[in-house]
């Protein structure tokens, strides 16, 4: 099982930026990787994913504002978040899976980080 550790969360005002990182305990080459978030009282939702072929997919709510990327040499996944809004507030999780199916459903991912808080104030 792969361990994932997120960092880079925090508090920011609306319109600001944050960059999340997720370091994996093993190689991420060949894995589909994703970021999810969960706001209080809401279900976990997929934010962005990057497939093993580096194809990226985004939730409509973050398109044009968030960018997902990875560095295979560093076994690290990133999420650059710009133009943040209060509705982006939540706990952000990174996830990884080796199986062929790809997408933004949480049920497609076996490995999960512990989550990190992002708070955007208005």
């Amino acid at each position: 099982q792969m361990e994932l550790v997120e960092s880079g969360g925090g508090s920011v005002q609306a319109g600001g930026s944050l960059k999340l990182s997720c370091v994996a305990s093993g190689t991420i080459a060949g894995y589909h990787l994703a970021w999810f978030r969960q706001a209080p009282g809401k279900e976990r939702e997929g934010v962005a994913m990057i497939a093993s072929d580096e194809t990226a997919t985004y939730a409509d709510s973050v398109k044009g504002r968030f960018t997902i990327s990875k560095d295979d040499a560093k076994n690290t996944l990133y999420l650059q978040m710009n133009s943040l809004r209060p509705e982006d507030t939540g706990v952000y999780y990174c996830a990884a899976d080796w199986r062929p199916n790809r997408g933004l459903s949480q049920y497609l991912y076996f490995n999960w980080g512990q989550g990190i808080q992002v708070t955007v104030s208005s």
Side-chain angles (χ1 to χ4, degrees), residues 1-97:
Q1 185 170 346
M2 177 184 286
E3 287 190 30
L4 302 170
V5 180
E6 301 97 338
S7 62
S11 297
V12 65
Q13 289 192 327
S17 298
L18 283 173
K19 185 173 184 177
L20 303 182
S21 299
C22 172
V23 179
S25 60
T27 181
I28 61 173
Y31 278 71
H32 302 324
L33 306 163
W35 288 98
F36 289 79
R37 67 186 179 192
Q38 188 165 20
K42 294 189 176 182
E43 290 190 0
R44 190 172 298 186
E45 63 171 346
V47 173
M49 69 87 61
I50 184 165
S52 56
D53 63 2
E54 305 206 13
T55 303
T57 302
Y58 297 91
D60 288 343
S61 59
V62 306
K63 280 181 182 176
R65 300 188 299 121
F66 290 11
T67 302
I68 190 170
S69 62
K70 62 174 182 164
D71 185 334
D72 286 353
K74 296 182 178 179
N75 293 325
T76 302
L77 174 70
Y78 303 100
L79 185 68
Q80 177 67 48
M81 304 186 293
N82 298 328
S83 302
L84 282 161
R85 304 168 180 169
E87 54 263 40
D88 294 319
T89 294
V91 178
Y92 281 68
Y93 300 87
C94 63
D97 202 278

